[in-house]
């Protein structure tokens, strides 16, 4: 699934199109659902297999620091987007990352930056369709950052986080993991 994005040819044009890619035919199809989230870019998206929905959080929609904190769920079978109103929830963010964790039945979101000032954050959040957003309180966490990448490791039962930084051009090579059993972040020490 592909949603939104920014077409930039001198002047930015934010999109709110929903596209699906068929692996068998190697073709893209524009879905045209009856309602869509507002146009956006730099949002987070993960597939929640428990509820068979694509979850979207955050965005920059329209530039000028217009950052959104809404959560949306897309049902491919019904071709519908639904806004999920939840409280509490993360503040409006961009450049965070989010990954689905099957054992939790929801998505882990970490970090991100605020609007125009791009102030980095270090929050760890869990989103489930049943309970909404829950802010987790690990004893340790990566430093505040955006522009990082995360992935779920089904063998070791960990969320891996790599890189990111306080600014676009001030990245790190840090590697962290979220331990599912201990509900905490641990940094992997570099060996030379």
């Amino acid at each position: 699934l592909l949603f939104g994005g920014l077409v930039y040819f001198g002047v930015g044009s934010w999109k709110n199109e929903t596209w699906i890619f068929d692996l068998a035919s190697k073709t893209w199809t524009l879905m045209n659902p009856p309602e869509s989230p507002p146009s956006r870019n730099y949002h987070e998206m993960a597939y929640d297999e428990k509820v068979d929905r694509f979850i979207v959080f955050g965005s920059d929609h329209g530039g000028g620091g217009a950052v959104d904190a809404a959560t949306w769920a897309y049902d491919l079978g019904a071709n519908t987007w639904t806004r999920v109103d939840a409280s509490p929830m993360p503040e409006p963010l961009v450049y965070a990352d989010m990954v689905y964790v099957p054992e939790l039945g929801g998505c882990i979101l970490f970090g991100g930056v605020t609007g125009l000032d791009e102030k980095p954050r270090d929050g760890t959040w869990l989103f489930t369709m049943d309970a909404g957003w829950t802010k987790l309180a690990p004893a340790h966490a990566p430093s505040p950052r955006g522009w990082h990448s995360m992935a779920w490791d089904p063998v070791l039962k960990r969320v891996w986080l790599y890189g990111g930084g306080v600014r676009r051009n001030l990245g790190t090579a840090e590697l962290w993991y979220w331990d599912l059993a201990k509900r905490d972040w641990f940094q992997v020490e570099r060996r030379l």
Side-chain angles (χ1 to χ4, degrees):
L1 184 81
L2 173 71
F3 176 75
L6 171 65
V7 177
Y8 189 80
F9 296 106
V11 176
S13 173
W14 282 258
K15 300 291 183 182
N16 72 336
E17 296 173 345
T18 302
W19 290 81
I20 190 77
F21 184 73
D22 185 306
L23 285 170
S25 66
K26 296 180 177 47
T27 58
W28 285 98
T29 302
L30 179 61
M31 297 305 293
N32 292 314
E35 179 184 6
S36 292
S39 300
R40 66 191 55 224
N41 196 30
Y42 311 127
H43 50 283
E44 293 70 50
M45 183 166 64
Y47 174 67
D48 183 330
E49 66 185 49
K50 179 182 176 187
V51 294
D52 191 24
R53 301 287 187 277
F54 293 89
I55 308 300
V56 167
F57 173 78
S59 78
D60 174 4
H61 54 90
V67 177
D68 184 3
T71 305
W72 290 81
Y74 179 70
D75 180 336
L76 178 61
N79 190 30
T80 56
W81 281 102
T82 304
R83 183 175 173 146
V84 181
D85 292 319
S87 180
M89 65 188 309
E91 65 186 302
L93 296 168
V94 292
Y95 304 115
D97 205 358
M98 183 169 66
V99 64
Y100 178 72
V101 178
E103 283 75 1
L104 295 176
C107 300
I108 293 283
L109 178 134
F110 179 81
V113 298
T114 57
L116 273 181
D117 64 354
E118 292 189 346
K119 186 172 181 182
R121 299 293 194 230
D122 65 353
T124 303
W125 291 82
L126 170 66
F127 177 81
T128 66
M129 286 293 287
D130 295 335
W133 288 101
T134 302
K135 187 166 188 181
L136 304 178
H140 309 93
S143 60
R145 69 188 61 206
W147 304 279
H148 52 282
S149 295
M150 292 183 1
W152 169 244
D153 180 339
V155 175
L156 296 177
K157 307 293 186 210
R158 294 175 175 174
V159 173
W160 290 95
L161 180 149
Y162 177 76
V166 296
R167 294 276 180 256
R168 300 167 196 267
N169 58 350
L170 293 176
T172 72
E174 292 177 356
L175 180 62
W176 289 76
Y177 65 90
W178 169 263
D179 186 285
L180 183 63
K182 296 178 181 175
R183 297 257 178 151
D184 204 358
W185 287 103
F186 297 90
Q187 186 172 6
V188 177
E189 298 300 325
R190 292 181 70 183
R191 294 181 186 163
L192 298 174

